[in-house]
Structure formats: C-alpha cells, structure tokens
Amino acid sequence: MSLGFKVDRYSVSYCLLVLLAGIAVSLLTPVLSLFLSDELGVSSFKVGVYFTCYACAGILVSQILAVISDRTGNRRIIVLISALMGFFAMILYSVSNSYEIIATLGVFMLSFITSITPQLFAAGREFCARTGREPVMFLQIMRIQFSLAWVMGPPLAFAFMGYFGFRKLFLLSSAVYFITFAAAFFLLPKGDSRDRSSIKGEKVRVFEKNVMLLFIACTLMWTSNTMYLIAMPQYVTHILRYSSELSGFMMGTAAFLEMPVMLVTGKFARRLGIRTFMILAASGGVLFYVTMLFVTSPFLLLAAQFFNAVYIGILAGIGMVYFQELLPSVPGEATTLFSNSAAVGGMAAGVTAGSIAALYGFDYVFTADLLLAAAAFVMLFFVRKV
C-alpha cells in the first residue's frame, strides 16, 4: 500500500521527533506511581493528588502554549522550551527526595512536556499545507511513531529500573529529552511555519458547537478506554482467574493491531469521510465492550482486541485530524484540544472506574464503558461532516 506522501528529510524529521518525544514520556509515566509510593513512601491519597495536579497543570499549560503558538506561528520555540523543561524536570526527579518539591516545582516543569507532541502534530499539519501534501496519511504515520514509542518505552523503563533504580531511569529520560531538544533545534524550521494563504480571513471559533460536541465525544471515548485499562487486569486475574500475563497479551495485541488500522484509515479517510471513520470507531467500541461483557475464553478475549484496535486506532489518529479540520486556522489549539480530551477522560476514568468497581465489581465497569461508547456514537452524528 502506497503511503500517499513523499518521504524526504523533512517528513522523516517530524516522525523522528515524535518518536523521541514519545520514548521520553513513555520512560517516565509507567513508573511514576511506583516511584512516589515505593521510593518516596507517600500514601495512595498523595499519589492521587499528584496525578490530579499533574493532569490539571498539563491541560492548563498546554492550552496556553497552544494559543501562543497559533498566534506567533513559531512552534519550534514551544517545542524547544518544553523539551528543555522536561530535561530539567527529570534531573530534579533524579535528585530530590521531597514529595512537596516534586508535586509542585516538578509538576510545573513536567506540565510543559504535554505540549511537545501536540505542537509537533500541528507543525506536521502546517508542513503538509506548505508543501501541498495530503495531511491525513502523514499525520497517521506520525501517530504510529508515537505508538511505537509506547511499545518500546514501558518494557525498557521497567527493565532499566529493575537493574539501576528509579534515579538512573530518570537520568536516562532526561538524556532523551535533551536529544529531543537538540533534534528540534536542528530539524524544525525557524520562524513562522504557517501557510498564511490557508488561514486568511478564517474566523476562529474554538468553542463552536461542533468543536465542543467532538470534544465531549472524544472525552467519553477516552474515558471508557482508560476505565477499561484500569479494570481489565483486575477482571482477568480476580474474576476470570487467569494469569496476569493474559492482560499483557491483550494490551499488546491491541497495540499491535492499532498500527495497521491507522494506516488503513489514513489511506481511505478522505474518500469515505473523517466523520464516517469516527462513527466506525465508536461502533467498534460498542462491539468491543459488548464482547467483554459476555466472553470469557482467553482466545476470544484476544480476538476481541480487533474491535478495541478499531476503537482506539481510529480515535488516536483520525480524532486529532477531525479537530484540525474543524479549526484549520489554529492547528495548535485544535491538536491540544484533542490531547486534552484524553487528559480529561483519564481524570474522569480514575474516579469513575474506582467507584463502580468498589460498589459493584470490575465487570460492571465494562457496562459503563459500553454506555459511554454508545453515547459518543450517537453524539458524533451531530458533528459537522468533513
């Protein structure tokens, strides 16, 4: 299958930067809760406070930086500052034993890293506009690099932590952030990166009805996915009484299948319509959670990951493009709105999944997931077709 765009130095540069940024964050995120509880010895409540503050700070800072970047057109500066803040944050985490410092100064510094990938995707969109390339497939290829980073990062993080400890792992992450900074310095274009002919006279309506409906629908979809990830390992091991390895195989199967799903949707999105694919994604979620409610065989649980891959594979790539199509003159704000829908969904999922599991059991979380996916499915029909 043809990729549908010219492979050159610039397209490779954008993909490389997304891969580096993804590796840097995937070395940190999976071990953060263990670091706080095991290394710093803080309570579960303080761990929850930390992640809530981190999510809120990331949403606020990334949205502010998105507005600034869209007004100035210089995304390179935002990426450089954010990568540098990530570098210093990881140095701080590698030497500090104070929860208070890490939960305040550390969270503030880390909040900048949430801007790196949205800004890179926005820059990739503008790169396509300047060169006359079709953006959907190119952005899907960029998104696959981020997925690859998350395939490699977490296993490396746990293995490295096991041999060398948390502090040296954070130093490794700081090195990756510095490499990201250096790569962005040399590879990203300087100055205003926008194609001004495409934004002339465009009225920006970030809070327009279609954008808000799409934001809510994506938030519902991310919430259901995160609730599933929280509940599924507990359900598989404690309810179905299977080995915890099955949970890992289920996650790995879904991640593997997401990549070809992204390629296919990137190839046919323009032909069949972006909204059509988003509706297909939501329907995949509905089918997946129905399957989770009634299937108990390990083979069928693994096979059901195809529906999960359709759900998340399309949402992760085409969902971002949908925001950019609705807000073509502010790709930074559009992309950041999409990433923040995942952040808000993650915040809501923790509280919701925990409450449902405590009151009714982990299997009832899948019923809630089904309702959320169904609500998103219906809501997407009311978003403007592009």
Side-chain angles (χ1 to χ4, degrees), residues 15-255:
C15 290
L16 173 63
L17 284 166
V18 170
L19 180 64
L20 286 171
I23 291 174
V25 74
S26 68
L27 289 173
L28 168 69
T29 305
V31 304
L32 261 179
S33 61
L34 288 175
F35 169 70
L36 294 171
S37 60
D38 295 355
E39 186 79 3
L40 300 187
V42 303
S43 66
S44 298
F45 174 75
K46 285 188 174 181
V47 172
V49 169
Y50 172 90
F51 278 102
T52 300
C53 292
Y54 180 25
C56 291
I59 291 170
L60 180 62
V61 170
S62 63
Q63 205 65 51
I64 291 172
L65 293 179
V67 173
I68 293 172
S69 68
D70 283 329
R71 289 179 179 176
T72 64
N74 195 338
R75 307 197 186 282
R76 179 174 176 269
I77 295 297
I78 303 295
V79 173
L80 289 173
I81 292 173
S82 299
L84 205 57
M85 291 292 276
F87 168 75
F88 286 120
M90 290 295 89
I91 296 294
L92 174 67
Y93 277 57
S94 70
V95 299
S96 177
N97 291 312
S98 170
Y99 170 80
E100 288 72 21
I101 292 176
I102 284 176
T104 52
L105 180 59
V107 162
F108 171 73
M109 296 169 74
L110 271 188
S111 66
F112 281 79
I113 71 174
T114 60
S115 296
I116 298 177
T117 48
Q119 290 300 316
L120 288 174
F121 281 114
R125 174 85 182 198
E126 290 167 338
F127 166 72
C128 291
R130 292 195 311 274
T131 57
R133 307 180 192 212
E134 168 53 49
V136 179
M137 176 56 88
F138 180 60
L139 293 173
Q140 291 291 78
I141 296 294
M142 287 181 65
R143 185 60 181 78
I144 287 174
Q145 308 312 306
F146 195 74
S147 297
L148 282 174
W150 274 89
V151 170
M152 297 183 292
L156 176 60
F158 283 106
F160 197 90
M161 180 193 70
Y163 279 104
F164 302 106
F166 290 104
R167 309 295 180 165
K168 287 186 172 60
L169 173 62
F170 295 149
L171 288 176
L172 175 63
S173 183
S174 72
V176 179
Y177 274 116
F178 186 79
I179 294 170
T180 304
F181 170 84
F185 183 85
F186 289 108
L187 298 178
L188 286 181
K190 298 179 180 179
D192 193 332
S193 61
R194 293 172 294 185
D195 175 24
R196 292 192 172 275
S197 64
S198 67
I199 64 174
K200 185 177 180 181
E202 181 72 25
K203 293 183 178 179
V204 180
R205 297 188 299 273
V206 173
F207 296 103
E208 188 258 341
K209 181 192 73 172
N210 289 291
V211 177
M212 289 297 97
L213 281 174
L214 180 59
F215 180 84
I216 295 170
C218 288
T219 300
L220 294 176
M221 294 168 78
W222 285 121
T223 302
S224 68
N225 176 64
T226 307
M227 287 171 59
Y228 160 77
L229 292 175
I230 292 171
M232 184 271 288
Q234 304 287 338
Y235 173 71
V236 168
T237 56
H238 296 152
I239 305 298
L240 299 184
R241 303 293 182 181
Y242 293 128
S243 166
S244 60
E245 292 180 353
L246 177 60
S247 301
F249 282 122
M250 290 169 67
M251 291 182 185
T253 300

